């Protein structure tokens, strides 16, 4: 039996559960392990940065790498991983960065001596002394183990952009660049100023590894794990379209067909958007005004669309729209998609989470997120399964307070509207409880 789906906090999983739930991104894992092997006896470490949007599996990947170190004797002989929390809000100076490493060292070891060391260091008021003392303790520990310490730090873009000053970043770089006993394996949601600009501290310090959306085969694997049913090759395309190959969205949608109510599914989508509103907004804000206009026109359409259709929605010339779509493809914000009929080149938003975010924010509740799920249901399920799904939505609505039924009404109506076969529509209505219509 697979472990329970942990959508937001992979750190809650035990090592065995983490291994069991890690069914894709083996190539990405191997890229990290290969870098660890190369660094093991090198005079300096090549630090590594994993880039990927929220929900793409960064946390699961780096935690899985930490677990794998213990499983491989050759890696365990060279490396001692320290996993920071997903957000290191306590860190605002270089000294506090190394203090945070001591905190996780005491948590991992359970040794009361490290608890005492941490408490003593935490009382240090001068950051330069704190930096020297905490870093000295960490390096002495590496010497005693005769291993290098792998610092796994998430959301490095937030840490460097919001919490540490430029001068602090240079101090941190000096240590990382010159101390072979320390390697940084970091994650970030996107490329950021500190690694992009030549005058910034972290420029060219990292080997950057980009996480791409999951392939159709990988989508099929994750879906099978979460739903307990193999969707088959024909249905996997519908899964990929809805989720954009995002593992977190796959987990949320995949559990619906198994044991999650429609209400819980909608709540999960609402929570997903609410938790990451600032991130989604920053993604849109980073686009130039004309790029954003084209991008949002495409998001409004939802389905794969031609350049002409996007131009009409954006009220722009087709030639200008085509050029902006190409630029958005280069940015990774838009991808080419399969159209229907004779249309040859179509486009869609690369990440469906952005699509759902935009439609929810613009339209409020009820919103197009319901239609997004319905599109998936109609494309994915066989007629008998569509009937039973619609019936289940109606039955669930009957047990809810009136104010909580709106998504159910929207979904039920959208299913009927999307089905071309009147016989299936009649079967749905006949199978639904009378109280639903009352």
């Amino acid at each position: 039996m697979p472990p329970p789906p942990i959508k937001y906090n992979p750190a809650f999983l035990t090592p065995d559960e983490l291994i069991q739930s890690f069914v894709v991104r083996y190539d990405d894992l191997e890229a990290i392990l290969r870098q660890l092997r190369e660094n093991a006896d090198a005079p300096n470490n090549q630090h590594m940065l994993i880039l990927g949007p929220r929900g793409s599996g960064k946390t699961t990947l780096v935690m899985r790498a930490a677990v794998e170190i213990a499983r491989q004797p050759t890696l365990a002989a060279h490396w001692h991983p320290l996993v920071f929390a997903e957000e290191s809000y306590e860190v605002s100076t270089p000294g506090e960065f190394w203090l945070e490493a001591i905190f996780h060292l005491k948590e991992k070891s359970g040794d009361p001596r490290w608890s005492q060391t941490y408490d003593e260091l935490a009382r240090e008021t001068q950051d330069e002394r704190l930096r020297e003392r905490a870093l000295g303790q960490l390096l002495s520990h590496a010497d005693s183990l005769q291993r290098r310490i792998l610092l796994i730090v998430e959301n490095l873009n937030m840490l460097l952009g919001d919490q540490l000053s430029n001068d602090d970043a240079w101090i941190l770089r000096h240590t990382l660049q010159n101390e072979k006993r320390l390697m940084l394996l970091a994650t970030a949601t996107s490329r950021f100023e500190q690694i992009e600009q030549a005058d910034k501290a972290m420029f060219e310090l990292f080997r950057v590894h980009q996480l791409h959306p999951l392939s159709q085969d990988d989508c099929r694997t994750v879906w099978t794990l979460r739903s307990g049913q193999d969707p088959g090759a024909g249905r996997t395309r519908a899964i990929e379209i809805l989720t954009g190959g995002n593992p977190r969205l796959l987990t949320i949608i995949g559990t619906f067909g198994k044991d999650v109510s429609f209400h819980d599914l909608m709540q999960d989508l609402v929570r997903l958007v609410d938790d990451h509103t600032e991130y989604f907004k920053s993604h849109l804000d980073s686009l130039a005004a004309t790029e954003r206009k084209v991008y949002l026109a495409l998001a409004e359409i939802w389905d794969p669309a031609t350049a002409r259709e996007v131009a009409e929605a954006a009220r722009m010339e087709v030639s200008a729209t085509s050029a902006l779509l190409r630029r958005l493809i280069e940015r990774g914000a838009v991808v080419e998609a399969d159209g229907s009929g004779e249309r040859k080149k179509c486009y869609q938003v690369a990440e469906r989470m952005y699509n759902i975010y935009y439609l929810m924010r613009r339209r409020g509740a009820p919103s197009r997120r319901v239609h997004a799920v319905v599109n998936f249901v109609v494309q994915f399920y066989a007629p008998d399964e569509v009937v039973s799904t619609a019936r289940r939505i109606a039955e669930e609505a009957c047990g809810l307070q009136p104010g909580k039924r709106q998504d159910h009404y929207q979904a039920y109506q959208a299913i009927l509207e999307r089905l071309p076969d009147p016989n299936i529509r009649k079967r749905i209505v006949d199978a639904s409880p009378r109280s639903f219509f009352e």
Side-chain angles (χ1 to χ4, degrees), residues 103-123:
F103 172 82
H104 291 289
L105 179 56
K106 87 175 176 65
E107 291 293 299
K108 180 176 181 177
S109 69
D111 189 332
R113 291 176 299 178
W114 280 112
S115 294
Q116 182 180 354
T117 299
Y118 175 79
D119 291 340
E120 291 176 357
L121 290 170
R123 289 193 289 269

Side-chain angles (χ1 to χ4, degrees), residues 130-291:
L130 174 62
R131 183 175 77 243
E132 292 174 355
R133 292 177 62 192
L135 181 58
Q137 290 282 355
L138 197 62
L139 297 177
S140 294
H141 185 59
D143 289 337
S144 68
L145 295 174
Q146 295 187 323
R147 286 183 280 173
R148 302 186 184 196
I149 292 177
L150 176 67
L151 300 167
I152 299 178
V153 179
E154 298 235 53
N155 293 304
L156 188 68
N157 52 319
M158 183 176 71
L159 185 67
L160 294 175
D162 300 333
Q163 297 172 225
L164 295 175
S165 69
N166 288 331
D167 290 342
D168 291 338
W170 280 106
I171 292 171
L172 191 60
R173 180 191 176 109
H174 181 269
T175 302
L176 293 172
Q177 195 168 18
N178 294 286
E179 183 46 69
K180 70 177 183 180
R181 287 169 286 184
L182 299 172
M183 175 185 168
L184 183 57
L185 172 60
T187 71
T189 52
S190 61
R191 304 188 76 90
F192 54 100
E193 187 178 80
Q194 280 284 353
I195 66 169
E196 289 282 89
Q197 297 186 10
D199 61 338
K200 297 298 183 180
M202 298 301 167
F203 182 69
E204 293 187 342
L205 181 69
F206 294 97
R207 174 170 290 172
V208 176
H209 182 84
Q210 179 75 49
L211 293 188
H212 298 289
L214 297 183
S215 65
Q216 285 193 40
D217 287 342
D218 285 344
C219 288
R220 181 176 179 178
T221 299
V222 174
W223 181 272
T224 301
L225 175 72
R226 292 305 173 203
S227 70
Q229 297 179 340
D230 184 347
R235 294 178 168 186
T236 302
R237 177 58 180 157
I239 296 172
E240 185 188 27
I241 289 172
L242 176 63
T243 64
N246 184 285
R248 184 178 295 167
L249 210 50
L250 269 164
T251 297
I252 290 174
I253 303 297
T255 53
F256 170 56
K258 185 181 179 184
D259 52 14
V260 174
S261 69
F262 183 76
H263 177 262
D264 287 343
L265 171 64
M266 292 297 105
Q267 289 300 107
D268 269 339
L269 290 176
V270 169
R271 178 183 173 186
L272 187 70
V273 168
D274 188 54
D275 282 352
H276 305 310
T277 289
E278 184 177 349
Y279 168 70
F280 291 140
K281 187 176 183 301
S282 68
H283 169 76
L284 294 176
D285 290 346
S286 69
L287 300 177
T290 52
E291 291 177 341

